[in-house]
Amino acid sequence: MRQSSHDTRQMPTIQVIERVFALIDALAAREEPMSLKEISEQTGLHPSTAHRILNDLKVGRFVDHPDAGTYRLGMRLLELGNLVKGRLNVRDAALAPMHELHKLIQQPVNLSVRQGDEIVYIERAYSERSGMQVVRAIGGRAPLHLTSTGKLFLAADDPQRVRAYATRTGLPGHTRNSITQLQALERELARARQSGAAHDNEELETGVRCMAAGIHDDQGRLIAGLSISAPADRLDDHWLPKLQQTARQISAALGHAMAGSGAPRT
């Protein structure tokens, strides 16, 4: 594979991954679809090698095959790029408001997003000087139905998707309070839709309660959840209005505009 003399980037240690990068870079450099011959010449890969890898990338929708013998970048890259963009933007917008909320309540404030059937914690605001606290590690994951933020995302799904989630995961429980039956989960999600907030009542971890409010982007889509985690006997329901206000503040920074006093679109 060719490499310009001024390219000093660290190269992958696995040859096939290096070739994948070369193919994607070649396709990215051209607006119109490229023929296999052009791709081979651009990357220095044998046509049969390029063809085999491109077909594998096509299966994953990383590459499209619009006409016989031509290739272009696929929509999966756009989807992933939008996910990264949204998560980076929401984190930037959330940092200052999260720390302000933490100063007010002196309990951890978590920012998390959905990834498949789980939520992923991408930011937190907490202080080690505040005594006993419940801190979710950045990068940590948890099932949707056992977390306050996860319930917000499930509440935004239609009933068929919720049932599919329940079937796919089996609704496993972590504590005696965990919701493990579909009907109970559906009732919980109905309450979340009605109130615009969701709760975790020692369902993920014994002795820990959480509350969450949703963060929406400029298209009104639910893209993240802002939650407060605290020991079960310390979580104060009077924090909820401030939590919701902070989530609205972050949403506004992302371009979301509430229509009147109604609930945000999901």
Side-chain angles (χ1 to χ4, degrees), residues 95-167:
L95 275 174
M98 286 175 66
H99 283 284
E100 287 300 315
L101 179 58
H102 167 66
K103 288 179 184 177
L104 180 67
I105 65 173
Q106 291 299 306
Q107 291 296 331
V109 179
N110 313 294
L111 181 68
S112 49
V113 297
R114 179 175 185 172
Q115 191 170 86
D117 291 338
E118 299 175 309
I119 63 162
V120 181
Y121 297 94
I122 62 172
E123 191 52 80
R124 64 188 181 187
Y126 76 105
S127 171
E128 295 179 354
R129 298 190 301 271
S130 301
M132 178 184 175
Q133 294 195 4
V134 179
V135 179
R136 302 301 183 192
I138 295 175
R141 296 169 176 268
L144 296 176
H145 67 288
L146 299 182
T147 61
S148 54
T149 292
K151 290 175 186 176
L152 291 177
F153 280 102
L154 287 174
D157 281 345
D158 59 44
Q160 184 177 358
R161 287 179 179 271
V162 173
R163 288 192 293 271
Y165 168 83
T167 300

Coordinates of all heavy atoms in Angstrom, one line a residue, residues 95-167:
L95 N -21.5 20.2 30.4 CA -20.5 20.3 31.5 C -20.8 21.3 32.6 O -20.8 21.0 33.8 CB -19.1 20.5 30.9 CG -18.4 19.2 30.4 CD1 -17.1 19.5 29.7 CD2 -18.1 18.3 31.6
A96 N -20.9 22.6 32.1 CA -21.1 23.7 33.1 C -22.4 23.5 33.9 O -22.4 23.6 35.1 CB -21.0 25.0 32.4
P97 N -23.5 23.3 33.2 CA -24.8 23.1 33.9 C -24.8 21.9 34.9 O -25.3 22.0 36.0 CB -25.8 22.9 32.8 CG -25.3 23.5 31.6 CD -23.8 23.3 31.7
M98 N -24.1 20.8 34.5 CA -24.0 19.7 35.4 C -23.2 20.1 36.7 O -23.7 19.7 37.8 CB -23.2 18.6 34.7 CG -24.0 17.8 33.7 SD -23.0 16.6 32.8 CE -22.6 15.4 34.2
H99 N -22.2 20.8 36.6 CA -21.4 21.2 37.8 C -22.2 22.2 38.6 O -22.1 22.1 39.9 CB -20.0 21.8 37.3 CG -19.0 20.8 36.9 ND1 -18.4 20.0 37.8 CD2 -18.6 20.4 35.7 CE1 -17.6 19.1 37.2 NE2 -17.7 19.3 35.9
E100 N -23.0 23.0 38.0 CA -23.8 23.9 38.8 C -24.8 23.2 39.6 O -25.1 23.5 40.8 CB -24.5 25.0 37.9 CG -23.5 26.0 37.3 CD -22.9 26.8 38.4 OE1 -23.6 27.2 39.4 OE2 -21.7 27.1 38.4
L101 N -25.4 22.2 38.9 CA -26.4 21.4 39.6 C -25.8 20.6 40.8 O -26.4 20.5 41.9 CB -27.1 20.4 38.6 CG -28.2 19.5 39.2 CD1 -29.3 20.2 39.9 CD2 -28.7 18.5 38.1
H102 N -24.6 20.0 40.5 CA -23.9 19.3 41.6 C -23.6 20.2 42.8 O -23.8 19.8 44.0 CB -22.6 18.7 41.1 CG -21.7 18.2 42.1 ND1 -22.0 17.2 43.0 CD2 -20.5 18.7 42.6 CE1 -21.1 17.0 43.8 NE2 -20.1 17.9 43.7
K103 N -23.2 21.4 42.5 CA -22.9 22.4 43.6 C -24.2 22.6 44.5 O -24.1 22.8 45.7 CB -22.4 23.7 43.1 CG -21.0 23.7 42.5 CD -20.6 25.0 42.0 CE -19.3 25.0 41.3 NZ -18.9 26.3 40.7
L104 N -25.3 22.6 43.8 CA -26.6 22.9 44.5 C -27.0 21.7 45.4 O -27.4 21.9 46.5 CB -27.7 23.2 43.5 CG -29.0 23.5 44.1 CD1 -29.0 24.8 44.9 CD2 -30.1 23.6 42.9
I105 N -26.9 20.5 44.9 CA -27.4 19.3 45.6 C -26.4 18.5 46.3 O -26.7 17.6 47.1 CB -28.2 18.4 44.6 CG1 -27.3 17.8 43.6 CG2 -29.4 19.2 44.0 CD1 -27.9 16.8 42.7
Q106 N -25.1 18.7 45.9 CA -24.0 17.9 46.5 C -24.1 16.4 46.4 O -23.7 15.6 47.3 CB -23.8 18.3 48.0 CG -23.4 19.7 48.2 CD -22.0 20.0 47.7 OE1 -21.0 19.2 48.0 NE2 -21.8 21.0 46.8
Q107 N -24.6 16.0 45.3 CA -24.7 14.6 44.9 C -24.3 14.4 43.4 O -24.4 15.4 42.7 CB -26.1 14.0 45.1 CG -26.5 13.9 46.6 CD -25.7 12.9 47.4 OE1 -25.1 12.0 46.9 NE2 -25.5 13.2 48.7
P108 N -23.8 13.3 43.0 CA -23.3 13.1 41.7 C -24.4 13.3 40.6 O -25.6 13.0 40.8 CB -22.9 11.6 41.6 CG -22.6 11.3 43.0 CD -23.5 12.1 43.9
V109 N -24.0 14.0 39.5 CA -24.9 14.2 38.4 C -24.2 13.5 37.2 O -23.0 13.7 36.9 CB -25.0 15.7 38.1 CG1 -25.9 16.0 36.9 CG2 -25.6 16.5 39.3
N110 N -25.0 12.7 36.5 CA -24.5 11.8 35.4 C -25.1 12.2 34.1 O -26.3 12.6 34.0 CB -24.9 10.4 35.7 CG -24.5 10.0 37.1 OD1 -23.4 9.9 37.5 ND2 -25.6 9.7 37.9
L111 N -24.3 12.2 33.1 CA -24.8 12.3 31.7 C -24.6 11.0 31.0 O -23.5 10.4 31.0 CB -24.0 13.4 31.0 CG -24.3 13.7 29.6 CD1 -25.7 14.4 29.5 CD2 -23.3 14.7 28.9
S112 N -25.6 10.5 30.3 CA -25.5 9.2 29.7 C -26.3 9.2 28.4 O -27.2 10.0 28.2 CB -26.0 8.1 30.6 OG -27.2 8.4 31.2
V113 N -25.9 8.3 27.5 CA -26.6 8.2 26.2 C -26.9 6.7 26.0 O -26.4 5.8 26.7 CB -25.7 8.7 25.0 CG1 -25.3 10.2 25.2 CG2 -24.4 7.9 25.0
R114 N -27.8 6.5 25.0 CA -28.2 5.2 24.7 C -27.2 4.6 23.7 O -26.8 5.2 22.7 CB -29.6 5.1 24.1 CG -30.1 3.7 23.8 CD -31.5 3.7 23.3 NE -32.0 2.3 23.1 CZ -33.3 2.0 22.9 NH1 -34.2 2.9 22.8 NH2 -33.6 0.7 22.7
Q115 N -26.9 3.3 23.9 CA -26.1 2.6 22.9 C -26.7 1.2 22.9 O -26.5 0.3 23.8 CB -24.7 2.5 23.3 CG -23.8 2.0 22.1 CD -22.3 2.2 22.4 OE1 -21.7 1.3 23.1 NE2 -21.7 3.2 21.9
G116 N -27.5 0.9 21.9 CA -28.2 -0.4 21.8 C -29.2 -0.6 22.9 O -30.1 0.2 23.2
D117 N -29.0 -1.7 23.6 CA -29.9 -2.0 24.8 C -29.4 -1.5 26.1 O -29.9 -2.0 27.1 CB -30.1 -3.5 24.8 CG -30.9 -4.0 23.6 OD1 -31.7 -3.2 23.0 OD2 -30.8 -5.2 23.3
E118 N -28.4 -0.6 26.1 CA -27.8 -0.2 27.3 C -27.7 1.4 27.3 O -27.7 2.0 26.2 CB -26.4 -0.8 27.5 CG -26.4 -2.3 27.6 CD -25.0 -2.8 27.7 OE1 -24.1 -2.4 26.8 OE2 -24.7 -3.6 28.6
I119 N -27.4 1.9 28.4 CA -27.0 3.3 28.5 C -25.5 3.3 28.8 O -25.0 2.4 29.4 CB -27.7 4.2 29.5 CG1 -27.5 3.6 30.9 CG2 -29.2 4.3 29.2 CD1 -27.9 4.7 32.0
V120 N -24.8 4.3 28.3 CA -23.4 4.5 28.6 C -23.2 5.8 29.2 O -23.7 6.9 28.7 CB -22.6 4.4 27.3 CG1 -21.1 4.6 27.6 CG2 -22.8 3.1 26.5
Y121 N -22.5 5.9 30.4 CA -22.2 7.1 31.1 C -21.0 7.8 30.4 O -19.9 7.2 30.3 CB -21.9 6.8 32.6 CG -23.0 6.2 33.3 CD1 -23.1 4.8 33.4 CD2 -24.0 7.0 33.9 CE1 -24.2 4.2 34.1 CE2 -25.1 6.4 34.6 CZ -25.2 5.1 34.7 OH -26.2 4.5 35.3
I122 N -21.2 9.1 29.9 CA -20.2 9.8 29.2 C -19.6 11.0 30.0 O -18.6 11.5 29.6 CB -20.7 10.2 27.8 CG1 -21.9 11.2 27.9 CG2 -21.1 9.0 27.0 CD1 -22.2 11.8 26.6
E123 N -20.3 11.4 31.1 CA -19.7 12.5 31.9 C -20.3 12.4 33.2 O -21.4 11.8 33.4 CB -20.0 13.8 31.2 CG -19.2 15.0 31.8 CD -17.7 14.7 31.9 OE1 -17.0 14.9 30.9 OE2 -17.3 14.4 33.1
R124 N -19.7 13.0 34.2 CA -20.2 13.1 35.6 C -19.7 14.3 36.3 O -18.7 14.9 35.9 CB -19.8 11.8 36.4 CG -18.2 11.8 36.5 CD -17.8 10.5 37.1 NE -16.3 10.5 37.3 CZ -15.6 9.4 37.7 NH1 -16.2 8.3 38.0 NH2 -14.3 9.5 37.9
A125 N -20.4 14.8 37.2 CA -20.0 15.9 38.1 C -20.2 15.4 39.5 O -21.2 15.1 40.0 CB -20.9 17.1 37.8
Y126 N -19.1 15.4 40.3 CA -19.1 15.0 41.6 C -17.9 15.5 42.4 O -17.0 16.1 41.8 CB -19.1 13.4 41.7 CG -17.7 12.8 41.5 CD1 -17.0 12.3 42.5 CD2 -17.2 12.7 40.2 CE1 -15.7 11.7 42.3 CE2 -16.0 12.1 39.9 CZ -15.3 11.7 41.0 OH -14.0 11.1 40.7
S127 N -17.9 15.4 43.7 CA -16.8 15.9 44.5 C -16.5 14.8 45.5 O -17.4 14.3 46.2 CB -17.2 17.2 45.2 OG -16.2 17.5 46.2
E128 N -15.2 14.5 45.7 CA -14.8 13.5 46.7 C -14.9 14.0 48.1 O -14.8 13.3 49.0 CB -13.3 13.1 46.4 CG -13.1 12.4 45.0 CD -11.7 12.0 44.8 OE1 -10.9 12.4 45.6 OE2 -11.4 11.3 43.8
R129 N -15.1 15.3 48.2 CA -15.2 15.9 49.6 C -16.6 15.9 50.1 O -16.9 16.4 51.2 CB -14.7 17.4 49.6 CG -13.2 17.5 49.2 CD -12.7 18.9 49.4 NE -13.5 19.9 48.7 CZ -13.2 20.2 47.4 NH1 -12.1 19.7 46.8 NH2 -13.9 21.2 46.8
S130 N -17.6 15.4 49.3 CA -19.0 15.5 49.7 C -19.4 14.3 50.6 O -20.6 14.1 50.7 CB -19.8 15.6 48.5 OG -19.5 16.7 47.8
G131 N -18.5 13.5 51.0 CA -18.9 12.3 51.8 C -19.3 11.1 51.0 O -18.9 11.0 49.8
M132 N -20.1 10.3 51.5 CA -20.6 9.1 50.8 C -21.4 9.5 49.6 O -22.3 10.3 49.6 CB -21.5 8.2 51.7 CG -22.0 7.0 51.0 SD -23.2 6.1 52.1 CE -23.7 4.8 51.0
Q133 N -21.0 8.9 48.4 CA -21.6 9.2 47.2 C -21.7 8.0 46.3 O -21.0 7.0 46.5 CB -20.8 10.3 46.4 CG -20.8 11.7 47.1 CD -20.4 12.8 46.2 OE1 -20.1 12.5 45.0 NE2 -20.3 14.0 46.7
V134 N -22.6 8.1 45.3 CA -22.8 7.1 44.3 C -22.2 7.6 43.0 O -22.8 8.6 42.5 CB -24.2 6.7 44.2 CG1 -24.4 5.6 43.1 CG2 -24.8 6.2 45.5
V135 N -21.1 7.1 42.5 CA -20.5 7.7 41.3 C -20.5 6.6 40.2 O -20.0 5.5 40.4 CB -19.1 8.1 41.6 CG1 -18.4 8.7 40.4 CG2 -19.1 9.2 42.7
R136 N -21.1 7.0 39.1 CA -21.1 6.1 37.9 C -19.8 6.4 37.1 O -19.5 7.5 36.7 CB -22.3 6.4 37.1 CG -23.6 6.2 37.8 CD -23.8 4.8 38.4 NE -25.1 4.6 39.0 CZ -25.4 3.6 39.7 NH1 -24.5 2.7 40.0 NH2 -26.6 3.5 40.3
A137 N -19.0 5.4 36.9 CA -17.8 5.5 36.1 C -18.1 5.9 34.7 O -19.0 5.4 34.0 CB -17.0 4.3 36.2
I138 N -17.3 6.9 34.2 CA -17.4 7.2 32.8 C -17.1 6.0 31.9 O -16.1 5.3 32.1 CB -16.5 8.4 32.4 CG1 -17.0 9.7 33.2 CG2 -16.5 8.7 30.9 CD1 -16.1 10.9 33.0
G139 N -17.9 5.7 31.0 CA -17.7 4.5 30.1 C -18.5 3.3 30.7 O -18.6 2.3 30.0
G140 N -19.0 3.4 31.9 CA -19.8 2.3 32.4 C -21.1 2.1 31.7 O -21.7 3.1 31.1
R141 N -21.7 0.9 31.7 CA -22.9 0.6 31.0 C -23.9 0.0 32.0 O -23.5 -0.6 33.0 CB -22.6 -0.4 29.9 CG -21.7 0.2 28.8 CD -21.2 -0.9 27.9 NE -20.4 -0.4 26.8 CZ -21.0 0.0 25.6 NH1 -22.3 -0.2 25.4 NH2 -20.2 0.4 24.6
A142 N -25.2 0.1 31.6 CA -26.2 -0.5 32.4 C -27.4 -0.8 31.5 O -27.7 0.0 30.5 CB -26.6 0.4 33.6
P143 N -28.3 -1.8 31.8 CA -29.4 -2.1 31.0 C -30.4 -0.9 31.0 O -30.6 -0.2 32.1 CB -30.0 -3.3 31.7 CG -28.9 -3.9 32.4 CD -28.1 -2.8 32.9
L144 N -31.1 -0.7 29.9 CA -32.1 0.4 29.9 C -33.2 0.3 30.9 O -33.5 1.3 31.6 CB -32.8 0.4 28.5 CG -31.9 0.6 27.3 CD1 -32.7 0.5 26.0 CD2 -31.2 2.0 27.3
H145 N -33.8 -0.9 31.1 CA -34.9 -1.0 32.0 C -34.6 -0.9 33.5 O -35.5 -0.8 34.3 CB -35.7 -2.3 31.7 CG -34.9 -3.5 32.1 ND1 -33.8 -4.0 31.4 CD2 -35.1 -4.4 33.1 CE1 -33.4 -5.1 32.0 NE2 -34.1 -5.4 33.1
L146 N -33.3 -0.9 33.8 CA -32.9 -0.8 35.2 C -32.5 0.6 35.6 O -32.1 0.8 36.8 CB -31.9 -1.9 35.6 CG -32.2 -3.3 35.3 CD1 -31.1 -4.2 35.7 CD2 -33.5 -3.7 36.1
T147 N -32.5 1.5 34.7 CA -31.9 2.8 35.0 C -32.9 3.9 34.7 O -33.8 3.7 33.8 CB -30.7 3.1 34.2 OG1 -31.0 3.0 32.8 CG2 -29.6 2.0 34.5
S148 N -32.8 5.0 35.4 CA -33.7 6.1 35.1 C -33.6 6.7 33.7 O -34.6 6.9 33.0 CB -33.5 7.2 36.2 OG -32.2 7.7 36.2
T149 N -32.4 6.9 33.3 CA -32.2 7.4 31.9 C -32.6 6.4 30.9 O -33.2 6.7 29.8 CB -30.7 7.8 31.7 OG1 -30.4 9.0 32.5 CG2 -30.4 8.1 30.2
G150 N -32.3 5.1 31.1 CA -32.7 4.1 30.2 C -34.2 4.0 30.0 O -34.7 3.8 28.9
K151 N -34.9 4.2 31.1 CA -36.4 4.3 31.0 C -36.9 5.4 30.1 O -37.9 5.3 29.4 CB -37.0 4.3 32.4 CG -36.8 3.1 33.2 CD -37.3 3.2 34.6 CE -37.0 2.0 35.5 NZ -37.4 2.2 36.9
L152 N -36.2 6.6 30.2 CA -36.6 7.7 29.3 C -36.5 7.3 27.8 O -37.3 7.6 27.0 CB -35.7 8.9 29.6 CG -35.8 9.6 30.9 CD1 -34.8 10.7 31.0 CD2 -37.2 10.2 31.1
F153 N -35.4 6.6 27.5 CA -35.2 6.1 26.1 C -36.3 5.1 25.7 O -36.8 5.1 24.6 CB -33.8 5.6 25.9 CG -32.8 6.7 25.7 CD1 -31.9 7.0 26.7 CD2 -32.7 7.3 24.5 CE1 -31.0 8.0 26.5 CE2 -31.7 8.3 24.3 CZ -30.9 8.7 25.3
L154 N -36.6 4.2 26.6 CA -37.6 3.2 26.3 C -39.0 3.9 26.2 O -39.8 3.5 25.4 CB -37.7 2.1 27.4 CG -36.5 1.1 27.4 CD1 -36.6 0.2 28.6 CD2 -36.5 0.3 26.1
A155 N -39.2 4.9 27.0 CA -40.5 5.6 27.0 C -40.7 6.3 25.7 O -41.8 6.6 25.2 CB -40.6 6.6 28.2
A156 N -39.6 6.7 25.0 CA -39.6 7.4 23.7 C -39.9 6.4 22.6 O -40.2 6.8 21.5 CB -38.3 8.1 23.5
D157 N -39.7 5.1 22.9 CA -39.9 4.1 21.8 C -41.4 3.8 21.7 O -42.2 4.0 22.7 CB -39.2 2.8 22.2 CG -37.7 2.8 21.8 OD1 -37.3 3.8 21.0 OD2 -37.0 2.0 22.3
D158 N -41.9 3.2 20.6 CA -43.2 2.8 20.5 C -43.4 1.5 21.2 O -42.4 0.8 21.5 CB -43.7 2.7 19.0 CG -42.9 1.8 18.2 OD1 -42.6 0.7 18.7 OD2 -42.5 2.2 17.1
P159 N -44.6 1.1 21.5 CA -44.9 -0.2 22.3 C -44.2 -1.4 21.6 O -43.7 -2.3 22.3 CB -46.4 -0.3 22.3 CG -46.9 1.1 22.2 CD -45.9 1.8 21.3
Q160 N -44.2 -1.5 20.3 CA -43.7 -2.6 19.6 C -42.2 -2.7 19.9 O -41.6 -3.8 20.1 CB -43.9 -2.6 18.1 CG -43.4 -3.8 17.4 CD -43.8 -3.7 15.9 OE1 -44.4 -2.8 15.4 NE2 -43.4 -4.7 15.1
R161 N -41.5 -1.6 19.9 CA -40.0 -1.6 20.2 C -39.8 -2.0 21.6 O -38.8 -2.7 21.9 CB -39.4 -0.3 19.8 CG -39.3 0.0 18.3 CD -38.8 1.4 18.1 NE -38.6 1.7 16.7 CZ -37.5 1.4 16.0 NH1 -36.5 0.8 16.5 NH2 -37.5 1.7 14.7
V162 N -40.6 -1.6 22.5 CA -40.4 -1.9 23.9 C -40.6 -3.4 24.1 O -39.8 -4.1 24.8 CB -41.4 -1.1 24.8 CG1 -41.4 -1.6 26.3 CG2 -41.1 0.4 24.7
R163 N -41.6 -4.0 23.5 CA -41.8 -5.4 23.6 C -40.6 -6.2 23.0 O -40.2 -7.2 23.5 CB -43.1 -5.8 22.9 CG -44.4 -5.4 23.6 CD -45.6 -6.1 23.1 NE -45.9 -5.6 21.7 CZ -46.7 -4.5 21.5 NH1 -47.2 -3.8 22.5 NH2 -46.9 -4.2 20.2
A164 N -40.1 -5.7 21.8 CA -39.0 -6.3 21.2 C -37.8 -6.3 22.1 O -37.0 -7.2 22.2 CB -38.7 -5.6 19.9
Y165 N -37.6 -5.1 22.8 CA -36.5 -5.0 23.8 C -36.7 -6.1 24.9 O -35.7 -6.7 25.3 CB -36.5 -3.6 24.4 CG -35.6 -3.5 25.6 CD1 -34.2 -3.3 25.5 CD2 -36.1 -3.6 26.9 CE1 -33.4 -3.2 26.6 CE2 -35.3 -3.5 28.0 CZ -33.9 -3.3 27.8 OH -33.1 -3.2 28.9
A166 N -37.9 -6.2 25.4 CA -38.1 -7.1 26.5 C -37.9 -8.6 26.1 O -37.3 -9.4 26.8 CB -39.6 -7.0 27.0
T167 N -38.3 -8.9 24.9 CA -38.0 -10.2 24.3 C -36.6 -10.5 24.1 O -36.0 -11.6 24.4 CB -38.8 -10.4 23.0 OG1 -40.2 -10.2 23.2 CG2 -38.5 -11.8 22.4

